[in-house]
Amino acid sequence: MLRISWLSVVFVKVPITKGPPELTELPVHMAIVPEGQDPGSSDWKPAAWIGIRAAVLIGPGTGLPLEKGLTYGIWVRVTSAPELPVLGPFPLHIT
């Protein structure tokens, strides 16, 4: 389980090891929601590719300020029309 301090402003990165050769050219979104919940349409945030990792910025002052002491699920969605694979959840605990 990934553990990050609630005071940190960092990129959360999820490696994506399978997909088409042009994977990192495809649009990617990430959602980080409380553990046990599925992401809703408003939870998806535009993400970036850092190498083969999907990445989104979290922490104070970002679009994803997460609460201390909670565990979240990290979800990744890659748009590859007509497919829309959703990967996750990957656990993240905020300390």
Side-chain angles (χ1 to χ4, degrees):
M1 175 182 304
L2 181 60
R3 295 179 184 275
I4 297 176
S5 166
W6 72 279
L7 297 170
S8 297
V9 175
V10 295
F11 280 101
V12 170
K13 301 174 208 130
V14 176
I16 309 297
T17 57
K18 293 187 179 184
E22 70 281 357
L23 177 67
T24 58
E25 296 172 18
L26 298 173
V28 63
H29 291 81
M30 294 175 71
I32 301 179
V33 296
E35 185 177 41
Q37 291 185 17
D38 291 336
S41 59
S42 65
D43 294 318
W44 293 103
K45 308 294 182 202
W49 290 105
I50 299 176
I52 62 164
R53 296 181 184 109
V56 70
L57 196 62
I58 66 165
T62 72
L64 290 164
L66 304 178
E67 191 174 327
K68 181 178 182 177
L70 292 183
T71 299
Y72 292 86
I74 304 169
W75 297 82
V76 179
R77 181 178 73 187
V78 180
T79 303
S80 178
E83 298 180 318
L84 191 63
V86 175
L87 310 170
F90 306 98
L92 166 65
H93 185 72
I94 302 299
T95 60

